[in-house]
Amino acid sequence: ETRQPSERDNLGDAKPKVWLSDRLAAQGNHAEAHQYCLAHLIRDAQYAVEAGDTVFAPAFKAFLKDACAVARRRPDLADAMIKGHARRLQRELDRLLGLEPVQADGRHLRDSMIVDGHDKLLVFLTRRDVEPTNNGSERALRPSVIFRKVTNGFRSGWGAKVYADICSIVATGRLAGRSALSAIRAALAAHAAAASGVEDPVAAAKRAAIQAAVERAKAKKAEAAAAANPPSEQSAAPEN
């Protein structure tokens, strides 16, 4: 029996704090919290509007756009202001979920939000490191999608795996400010070191730097403790 590896297979025992994705069922239950992509939901709401819903979908689309507008201003907002927006948007969401659309697509969208989505729309307002959409991931995948369409896919499994590995290495390196060439070189060096049983020199340097920092922190702590509690200069009186 063969099957495609799932996200759980790729993650192993790791459990992310937050998972950001569309509403595909396979994307659920991988993290402690789940943020739905609001851009996907805006498209779903627009579909329901065009299908004829006038009760839920138009107001829900406006709600989602309002949430995205808050997200764009989030870097300039204080924590208290973000919490205020979160409370306001949550009250509006509760009101919207109480509406009774009669058109089938609007009713289906409303019901799906009640069952699965009510706690997955505003997670980004509780954590500044969570985005309201997965547009960044979509943009990162676009070159691979174009490549697949132009080449009509790979002729072997190992070719597809090598391409995926290189894309992952280059994208991760870009986040760390590395060029594609330096990221690939570092990955190859780490693989060679692991295969030979020799520690990767970059990892060794990082470990040594961390150890040195820990030792310096311990020394400073000892100096501070000694300064706060100087030893008594008076010697004990001799006993008669």
Side-chain angles (χ1 to χ4, degrees):
E1 179 182 358
T2 60
R3 65 181 178 87
Q4 294 294 324
S6 66
E7 285 83 355
R8 177 49 55 196
D9 295 328
N10 294 327
L11 288 171
D13 295 330
K15 191 176 181 66
K17 293 291 185 182
V18 181
W19 191 270
L20 172 58
S21 72
D22 55 24
R23 292 193 293 148
L24 186 67
Q27 299 282 1
N29 302 319
H30 296 306
E32 296 177 10
H34 191 175
Q35 169 68 52
Y36 277 165
C37 173
L38 301 192
H40 281 82
L41 284 172
I42 289 174
R43 291 196 289 269
D44 293 341
Q46 180 60 32
Y47 176 85
V49 169
E50 294 175 357
D53 177 39
T54 60
V55 177
F56 176 74
F60 185 56
K61 180 182 177 182
F63 161 82
L64 295 171
K65 287 188 171 183
D66 186 6
C68 289
V70 173
R72 287 192 294 271
R73 304 199 310 271
R74 185 174 56 176
D76 300 323
L77 297 178
D79 290 346
M81 185 67 71
I82 293 176
K83 290 179 181 178
H85 282 296
R87 290 190 295 269
R88 175 181 64 80
L89 289 169
Q90 186 62 54
R91 288 194 299 268
E92 176 64 8
L93 177 61
D94 293 339
R95 184 188 72 81
L96 293 175
L97 296 181
L99 298 176
E100 295 291 342
V102 295
Q103 198 275 336
D105 295 281
R107 185 170 61 251
H108 176 74
L109 180 60
R110 191 280 313 265
D111 292 347
S112 65
M113 291 299 100
I114 292 176
V115 174
D116 295 320
H118 65 281
D119 60 341
K120 299 178 176 66
L121 303 182
L122 302 176
V123 176
F124 73 95
L125 290 178
T126 65
R127 295 179 59 112
R128 287 182 178 267
D129 57 347
V130 176
E131 295 295 325
T133 73
N134 65 350
N135 289 345
S137 299
E138 299 280 352
R139 287 192 294 270
L141 288 173
R142 183 173 177 79
S144 296
V145 174
I146 295 174
F147 179 87
R148 183 188 64 197
K149 290 183 177 180
V150 171
T151 63
N152 200 28
F154 292 91
R155 302 298 185 270
S156 63
W158 70 265
K161 185 178 185 306
V162 169
Y163 177 82
D165 288 345
I166 291 176
C167 288
S168 178
I169 291 168
V170 171
T172 304
R174 186 181 299 115
L175 294 176
R178 289 180 172 182
S179 66
L181 182 59
S182 64
I184 293 173
R185 280 178 172 172
L188 292 175
H191 177 74
S196 63
V198 178
E199 187 176 11
D200 176 22
V202 176
K206 289 183 178 179
R207 181 176 55 79
I210 292 173
Q211 185 63 33
V214 171
E215 294 299 330
R216 287 195 299 270
K218 288 181 178 179
K220 287 183 178 180
K221 186 176 181 180
E223 291 176 1
N229 301 289
S232 176
E233 297 181 357
Q234 297 180 354
S235 59
E239 296 182 0
N240 295 329

